[in-house]
Amino acid sequence: MAPLHSSLDVRVRDSVSKRIFHSVNPVGPWPGRGRCSSVLQNRRATLTASGFPQIRVLGYCCQLVGGVLVEQCPTRSEVGTRLLVVSTQLSHCRTILRLFDDLSMFVYTKQYGLGAQEEDAFVRLVSVLGNLADQLYYPCEHVAWAADARVLHVDSSRWWTLSTALWALSLLLGVARSLWMLLKLRQRLRSPTAPFTSPLPRGKRRAMEAQMQSEALSLLSNLADLANAVHWLPRGVLWAGRFPPWLVGLMGTISSILSMYQAARAGGQAEATTP
């Protein structure tokens, strides 16, 4: 999510769509948010125009390297500055691509509904609230972009703040969901076998362990993005405005690589299970 109100501002923000990649029985637009099937999640990833992970990774890597060169290597500060400019432009590119994501997000939200297919009430609650935050995020960012582009005569900073707050809320819900799922899965794996009952089949145990790994990766990805989201909130909120560019790039790079890994693994598993 990237504002346009400063041409040299390297706020390369996350695309909500990237959060839908998980592997085993993922559930929602983000690291295992206990929602619908992996088929629906992959469909949402495909439909969203901003779902180009290469742009995100490249943008954050440019910000990471550029920030390090500017701060640590004065002799190469010019190269670092140019990399930061490239990062900013890639961020703007992703912001414009997200202008076309509203419909696919709406289709996903409508298909999930109130999460009647979820057995866990907490997972259903955080999933519905997360979908709502995601859905509201897009129009807020669009208004902010239009204000920066002087298409609308409104204060863009308020809309950027609102969109960032919605993103942070969505990430918090994703973190809560992943922690809850990790706890439940761990309890199921470690609970003693009841009398006269057979232990978990090996295949099911492996699937649960794989889902735990996916949830852990999702948790790390969401935490990295959440660190940046708080940084982009107005000063005075926790560590808002205190991250140097290289640290923002590092957090974003970690999140992007984890998401790409989960997407690749999910794609491989989908091909393996296709008859």
Side-chain angles (χ1 to χ4, degrees):
M1 309 175 179
L4 302 177
H5 49 276
S6 173
S7 60
L8 292 180
D9 185 0
V10 285
R11 303 183 187 184
V12 187
R13 305 194 180 183
D14 178 35
S15 166
V16 172
S17 61
K18 78 94 187 167
R19 292 170 283 185
I20 59 178
F21 299 122
H22 7 303
S23 53
V24 181
N25 189 31
V27 268
W30 298 338
R33 190 193 245 173
R35 313 211 182 163
C36 49
S37 67
S38 58
V39 175
L40 179 56
Q41 295 168 357
N42 290 334
R43 184 185 306 166
R44 180 190 168 196
T46 302
L47 289 174
T48 49
S50 64
F52 296 106
Q54 301 89 341
I55 300 178
R56 188 174 196 267
V57 172
L58 181 58
Y60 275 123
C61 286
C62 287
Q63 186 170 5
L64 172 59
V65 177
V68 170
L69 291 178
V70 168
E71 188 169 315
Q72 303 295 334
C73 305
T75 58
R76 298 185 179 181
S77 60
E78 183 178 353
V79 176
T81 301
R82 292 179 181 180
L83 287 174
L84 292 179
V85 172
V86 172
S87 175
T88 300
Q89 295 306 313
L90 290 174
S91 174
H92 293 177
C93 172
R94 294 176 58 239
T95 300
I96 293 174
L97 286 174
R98 281 194 294 274
L99 293 173
F100 305 95
D101 282 356
D102 299 74
L103 180 59
S104 56
M105 182 67 224
F106 176 76
V107 171
Y108 176 84
T109 302
K110 183 178 179 181
Q111 288 177 327
Y112 183 75
L114 296 178
Q117 70 274 26
E118 299 288 0
E119 297 180 359
D120 192 294
F122 180 77
V123 170
R124 185 185 307 119
L125 175 63
V126 296
S127 298
V128 171
L129 291 177
N131 279 343
L132 180 60
D134 291 348
Q135 193 71 64
L136 293 175
Y137 160 78
Y138 285 107
C140 292
E141 186 189 52
H142 300 341
V143 172
W145 168 82
D148 282 342
R150 299 184 179 179
V151 176
L152 297 177
H153 299 289
V154 296
D155 182 7
S156 66
S157 61
R158 294 182 179 180
W159 290 96
W160 285 124
T161 298
L162 181 57
S163 66
T164 304
L166 288 169
W167 180 35
L169 173 60
S170 189
L171 290 168
L172 277 173
L173 292 170
V175 168
R177 192 260 165 211
S178 292
L179 287 173
W180 178 261
M181 287 299 298
L182 284 171
L183 178 63
K184 301 291 285 187
L185 289 169
R186 185 177 181 183
Q187 288 177 344
R188 290 191 61 186
L189 285 174
R190 295 192 175 185
S191 60
T193 305
F196 309 108
T197 60
S198 59
L200 288 173
R202 180 177 299 180
K204 187 172 183 180
R205 174 175 289 273
R206 287 181 178 178
M208 292 175 64
E209 291 173 348
Q211 187 177 359
M212 286 186 66
Q213 182 182 6
S214 178
E215 295 291 350
L217 293 175
S218 298
L219 177 63
L220 293 176
S221 178
N222 279 344
L223 288 174
D225 281 332
L226 182 60
N228 279 344
V230 174
H231 164 71
W232 285 316
L233 289 172
R235 286 186 177 274
V237 179
L238 299 176
W239 56 86
R242 298 181 183 179
F243 280 8
W246 69 265
L247 184 53
V248 174
L250 177 62
M251 293 293 102
T253 300
I254 292 173
S255 172
S256 300
I257 291 177
L258 290 176
S259 297
M260 290 184 66
Y261 170 74
Q262 287 182 282
R265 194 173 70 166
Q269 291 181 349
E271 292 179 0
T273 57
T274 300

